[in-house]
Amino acid sequence: ATCIVDPLELFKLNAAKQELNIFITMIKLYQMELHYFKFSSGTLKCFASLVIVKQPFPKTVKQATKFQTLNDEAIVVRLIKAPRTEIQTLERVKATGVPDEYQDKKYSI
């Protein structure tokens, strides 16, 4: 059976999925921190993670054309942390992504 879903409903579903991923990551950080405080007595560790909050809808890129992203199509990330992790944010950060095939294989892990 084929099911056709309205684009608006797909958008809402994708937004809910991204929000759920943020909550799952937060719970994992909380669990790691609790486990650390219960079973470790070493130096304090940092329990934090970057999560994608907003990303542009995928689109095809034609060969031999320059790929450009507009500011409204930027990927937005959020730094989330466990409750006892101290992080000092200094300012907003701009980054540029580099596709894997352009990275030097000699230095990749």
Side-chain angles (χ1 to χ4, degrees):
T2 303
C3 179
I4 299 175
V5 181
D6 183 46
L8 181 58
E9 293 301 317
L10 285 174
F11 175 78
K12 289 178 182 178
L13 181 63
N14 188 42
K17 182 181 173 186
Q18 285 180 327
E19 194 169 333
L20 178 63
N21 284 334
I22 291 171
F23 287 125
I24 289 171
T25 303
M26 290 172 75
I27 290 170
K28 286 179 182 179
L29 290 171
Y30 293 176
Q31 286 176 331
M32 288 189 313
E33 187 180 68
L34 284 171
H35 185 268
Y36 173 78
F37 283 118
K38 185 174 181 180
F39 297 110
S40 298
S41 60
T43 59
L44 186 62
K45 291 192 176 191
C46 179
F47 298 100
S49 179
L50 282 176
V51 292
I52 296 175
V53 176
K54 179 184 172 192
Q55 62 186 9
F57 191 78
K59 59 183 170 184
T60 59
V61 178
K62 295 180 182 174
Q63 190 173 6
T65 60
K66 188 174 181 180
F67 179 73
Q68 295 179 347
T69 58
L70 303 173
N71 285 340
D72 62 334
E73 293 186 357
I75 295 176
V76 179
V77 296
R78 189 169 104 195
L79 179 64
I80 57 174
K81 63 181 189 67
R84 290 194 170 187
T85 298
E86 295 291 328
I87 296 176
Q88 180 181 4
T89 57
L90 300 175
E91 60 186 57
R92 196 174 197 158
V93 176
K94 267 191 162 178
T96 303
V98 179
D100 286 338
E101 62 265 13
Y102 293 111
Q103 292 181 4
D104 189 355
K105 300 296 181 198
K106 180 177 162 184
Y107 298 106
S108 32
I109 299 173

